[in-house]
Amino acid sequence: MSATTPTTLTAGETTDPRSTVNRLSAENVTLAYDQRVIAEQLSVEIPDQSFTVIVGPNACGKSTLLRALSRMLRPRQGRVLLDGQVIQSMPAKKVARTLGLLPQSAVAPDGITVGDLVGRGRYPHQGILRQWSSEDERIVQESMARTGVAALADRYVDELSGGQRQRVWIAMALAQQTPLLLLDEPTTYLDIQHQIDVLDLCAELHEEHGRTLVAVLHDLNHAARYATHLIALRDGRVVAQGAPGDIVTADLVEEVFGLRCQVIDDPETGTPLVVPAARRAATRAS
């Protein structure tokens, strides 16, 4: 599959990418850190009420794209749109009431409890005329209950395991009550059980609570299992995007990751499952 291959369409879609206006998109953005350009003329749309996962090899621009979508990185050219407005032109609190972000390797302040950290998610809703209320307290309690950390409310965050801390950060993002939630590598440093726990929680937020989620993941099989929409990047460009069942093929995996493989049906979910070629098989094929 080449970079010019048209985006795979699902049932009911048209060939005009602007026929449906989604809440979050990037249009022809050039992303750079100082003089190092990461992506040029990159365009993506995040389907509303999707669980979108961005995948690709290291240093391909996944986290950089997420930073741009979350307003943390200003594009050198092009624009990121949130609800039809250029995101950099919007007041910070308005963005924070619409879009929540769980950054990579988030660090909590020293000596803060779980309850206090989750409560910080209500900051965008505070103001001179609106201080902490019983409604804020209710939302914080509900957010901790949804993520399974209510019993940890009085514990210090730095005492928790990696999986528990990740759930606390997600609870804080939930407390913002944003319709869009962005997560940068939410399973990093977690063992396999806690990776699945976090991804199951994300799927629940998407399926049962109607949130639009955008996540960067390293594990392609996790991405194919959980995503409803997949964006595959390489060298700062979109190679393919669409439903995992439509775009995840052996050719795509080799183009994006340089990995020879077979793609079979996951026996648990029926989603694509990437099986890397064995060393001897790969050697013979080359």
Side-chain angles (χ1 to χ4, degrees):
M1 182 179 295
S2 69
T4 58
T5 299
T7 299
T8 302
L9 300 178
T10 57
E13 290 183 332
T14 71
T15 55
D16 179 6
R18 301 301 300 174
S19 60
T20 300
V21 177
N22 294 302
R23 300 194 68 175
L24 182 62
S25 63
E27 294 184 348
N28 300 316
V29 295
T30 295
L31 306 175
Y33 297 107
D34 296 326
Q35 300 304 310
R36 185 165 64 95
V37 175
I38 307 299
E40 293 185 277
Q41 299 295 304
L42 180 63
S43 295
V44 297
E45 289 215 20
I46 306 302
D48 292 341
Q49 296 184 322
S50 69
F51 187 172
T52 293
V53 176
I54 304 170
V55 297
N58 290 340
C60 73
K62 301 186 299 296
S63 292
T64 301
L65 173 58
L66 199 75
R67 286 172 57 85
L69 291 173
S70 67
R71 197 174 180 261
M72 292 183 66
L73 177 67
R74 179 185 291 271
R76 183 168 293 179
Q77 295 180 346
R79 58 185 190 168
V80 172
L81 297 178
L82 177 62
D83 290 335
Q85 300 181 60
V86 176
I87 197 169
Q88 267 79 24
S89 71
M90 300 171 66
K93 276 198 171 183
K94 183 176 181 181
V95 173
R97 288 192 294 267
T98 307
L99 184 152
L101 172 67
L102 176 61
Q104 187 179 150
S105 303
V107 178
D110 290 338
I112 192 170
T113 65
V114 168
D116 287 341
L117 183 62
V118 176
R120 293 194 175 195
R122 299 303 297 160
Y123 168 75
H125 304 276
Q126 307 299 308
I128 296 176
L129 300 179
R130 188 193 183 286
Q131 300 301 311
W132 190 266
S133 67
S134 58
E135 176 73 359
D136 293 315
E137 186 64 33
R138 181 187 64 78
I139 291 169
V140 167
Q141 294 301 322
E142 286 184 355
S143 299
M144 291 193 294
R146 281 188 192 176
T147 53
V149 299
L152 306 175
D154 296 327
R155 294 272 302 276
Y156 291 110
V157 174
D158 54 15
E159 296 177 346
L160 305 180
S161 69
Q164 289 171 324
R165 282 197 300 271
Q166 203 69 326
R167 282 178 170 270
V168 170
W169 284 107
I170 294 174
M172 187 189 78
L174 286 186
Q176 283 184 242
Q177 286 199 312
T178 58
L180 293 100
L181 180 58
L182 278 56
L183 306 102
D184 192 0
E185 299 186 24
T187 59
T188 299
Y189 308 126
L190 302 183
D191 61 40
I192 185 65
Q193 177 184 345
H194 287 111
Q195 289 179 34
I196 297 301
D197 285 346
V198 166
L199 291 171
D200 281 348
L201 172 61
C202 291
E204 177 185 338
L205 295 174
H206 164 247
E207 294 168 2
E208 299 181 15
H209 302 285
R211 300 288 178 94
T212 299
L213 270 65
V214 187
V216 169
L217 295 179
H218 275 297
D219 191 307
L220 181 56
N221 284 331
H222 285 169
R225 172 176 280 199
Y226 286 93
T228 62
H229 185 75
L230 201 62
I231 298 174
L233 298 183
R234 183 174 179 86
D235 299 328
R237 62 185 176 87
V238 176
V239 177
Q241 55 184 318
D246 293 335
I247 69 168
V248 177
T249 64
D251 288 343
L252 176 75
V253 175
E254 185 165 4
E255 180 178 359
V256 173
F257 294 95
L259 177 69
R260 293 182 181 275
C261 69
Q262 295 183 55
V263 176
I264 63 175
D265 291 341
D266 187 318
E268 290 286 330
T269 62
T271 53
L273 180 66
V274 175
V275 181
R279 182 179 62 82
R280 291 180 181 176
T283 301
R284 285 197 300 268
S286 63

